[in-house]
């Protein structure tokens, strides 16, 4: 009984640590993406149409995503869990949790 509780506790702790590290990796990638977009905007006086203009490739499993909304605004986001995302909007320059 005690060994089952220990195994369950260790499993939950490891899962929690993995989840935190995974979110940090996504956040780090999203921050890098924002920095690249802002640098591109300064150099080209416009926003990139997509991440390929930043020298990146966007896939279904990318850590974070970029979307140009208007000629002067964009958003970057990544998933937290099913139906929940952390979203950065250039208009407010703030992160929000949505979903």
């Amino acid at each position: 009984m005690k060994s089952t509780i220990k195994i369950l506790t260790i499993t939950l702790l490891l899962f929690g640590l993995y989840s935190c590290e995974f979110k940090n990796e996504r956040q780090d990638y999203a921050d890098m993406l924002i920095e690249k977009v802002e640098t591109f905007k300064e150099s080209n006086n416009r926003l990139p149409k997509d991440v390929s203009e930043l020298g990146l490739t966007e896939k279904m499993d990318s850590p974070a995503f970029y979307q140009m909304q208007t000629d002067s605004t964009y958003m970057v986001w990544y998933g937290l869990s099913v139906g929940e995302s952390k979203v950065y909007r250039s208009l407010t320059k703030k992160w929000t949790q949505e979903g």
Side-chain angles (χ1 to χ4, degrees), residues 33-73:
L33 197 52
I34 292 166
E35 187 177 315
K36 283 188 174 281
V37 170
E38 292 296 332
T39 300
F40 182 95
K41 184 179 172 185
E42 284 179 25
S43 300
N44 299 283
N45 294 316
R46 67 175 181 85
L47 291 172
K49 291 180 177 72
D50 56 42
V51 295
S52 66
E53 290 192 90
L54 304 173
L56 301 171
T57 304
E58 194 168 85
K59 300 175 186 170
M60 292 279 292
D61 62 347
S62 291
F65 303 91
Y66 163 81
Q67 181 179 356
M68 188 172 113
Q69 294 182 298
T70 68
D71 288 343
S72 60
T73 62

Side-chain angles (χ1 to χ4, degrees), residues 77-90:
W77 76 96
Y78 61 90
L80 295 171
S81 63
V82 177
E84 288 190 26
S85 298
K86 194 163 181 187
V87 181
Y88 174 85
R89 297 185 188 281
S90 65

Side-chain angles (χ1 to χ4, degrees), residues 6-17:
K6 282 183 182 179
I7 291 171
L8 183 60
T9 303
I10 290 170
T11 303
L12 289 172
L13 286 172
L14 289 174
F15 180 76
L17 289 172

